[in-house]
């Protein structure tokens, strides 16, 4: 059975990862959007098991020790991690998976799962990023400043990704993500199994 692809959507906080992935998931329900674990407090309207698995710090650390995360990172004072078991199970079943994670985690996945496809979401400018982050209204000024500082570091690693996903306009950005997913499904090195089966059937 052909394995699913692992798409890693990353980039600075406020770049639009959540917005783009949510819209993408609506259009492409066949793709599994992974639900991360975090020690951060839930925001208003966030639902356990839908947006995140909200854990205490001790519980999170225990899961790290048990190797339960494909990757994990501390981001602005909170832990975030991708549940390894679920993601691997879905990939093995042949379904594509999307991780929406920050860049330390993306780089961990890159070294542990190099066949992944790494996508860097970027707004048109740092000024736009700041305006969107502030406009979201979910963080204090102090946290916004921390996240912007972190954004500059994250941009320095953009060259390690396979694709730049410019988020000027949401609709255009979602279409670009769909194009990347479709192209990667057609990429020949991921389809050698199909060709081999084709040849075998011809010989029968
Ligand atoms: P991230 O998940 O990367 O932290 P979000 O998806 O939460 O970013 O987006 C940050 C803010 O910017 C949100 O308020 C969102 O509605 C807004 N936003 C996202 N993409 C765009 C866009 N293309 N144009 C205008 N606003 C956007
Ligand atoms: P937020 O607090 O805004 O939900 O997320 C903060 C940052 O953590 C965002 O950049 C988000 O993409 C990232 N993030 C969410 N889940 C994970 C995860 O499982 N692992 C890592 N490394 N980052 C994550």
């Amino acid at each position: 059975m052909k394995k699913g692809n692992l798409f890693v959507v990353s980039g600075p906080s406020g770049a639009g990862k959540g917005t783009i992935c949510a819209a993408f998931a609506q259009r492409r329900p066949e793709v599994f959007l992974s639900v991360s674990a975090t020690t951060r407090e839930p925001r208003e309207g966030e639902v356990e098991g839908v947006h995140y698995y909200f854990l205490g710090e001790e519980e999170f650390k225990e899961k790290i020790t048990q190797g339960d995360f494909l990757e994990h990172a501390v981001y602005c004072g909170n832990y975030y991690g991708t549940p390894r078991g679920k993601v691997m199970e879905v990939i093995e079943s042949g379904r594509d998976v999307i991780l929406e994670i920050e860049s330390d985690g993306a780089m961990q996945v890159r070294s542990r799962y190099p066949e992944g496809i790494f996508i860097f979401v970027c707004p048109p400018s740092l000024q736009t990023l700041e305006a969107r982050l502030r406009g979201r209204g979910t963080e204090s000024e102090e946290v916004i400043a921390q996240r912007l500082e972190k954004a500059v570091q994250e941009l320095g690693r953009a060259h390690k990704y396979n694709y730049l996903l410019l988020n000027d306009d949401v609709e255009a950005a979602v279409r670009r993500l769909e194009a990347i997913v479709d192209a990667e499904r057609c990429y020949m090195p991921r389809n050698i199994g199909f060709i081999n089966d084709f040849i075998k059937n011809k010989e029968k």
Side-chain angles (χ1 to χ4, degrees), residues 8-132:
V8 179
V9 174
S10 192
S13 179
K17 303 181 294 295
T19 305
I20 294 167
C21 288
F24 177 87
Q26 289 258 315
R27 286 193 213 176
R28 301 291 189 101
E30 80 278 10
V31 179
F32 176 73
L33 188 55
S34 168
V35 179
S36 297
T38 183
T39 59
R40 138 163 113 53
E41 288 298 314
R43 292 183 188 134
E44 212 182 304
E46 281 185 333
V47 178
E48 165 72 21
V50 175
H51 298 95
Y52 281 107
Y53 296 104
F54 295 100
L55 306 180
E57 199 166 312
E58 283 315 304
E59 205 182 342
F60 196 103
K61 285 181 176 165
E62 206 176 301
K63 285 187 182 292
I64 297 175
T65 312
Q66 287 167 352
D68 286 355
F69 294 120
L70 175 60
E71 61 71 36
H72 71 274
V74 177
Y75 180 87
C76 296
N78 291 301
Y79 286 85
Y80 294 82
T82 302
R84 179 197 299 275
K86 180 69 188 175
V87 166
M88 288 306 158
E89 177 196 313
V90 176
I91 289 175
E92 289 300 329
S93 78
R95 200 172 162 197
D96 289 350
V97 172
I98 292 196
L99 308 183
E100 185 226 306
I101 62 178
E102 57 71 61
S103 68
D104 289 339
M107 292 301 103
Q108 289 172 42
V109 180
R110 187 172 172 256
S111 55
R112 290 172 198 166
Y113 199 86
E115 59 269 53
I117 298 129
F118 298 86
I119 302 166
F120 190 83
V121 180
C122 196
S125 68
L126 204 53
Q127 288 77 7
T128 315
L129 179 70
E130 183 167 355
R132 287 187 189 163

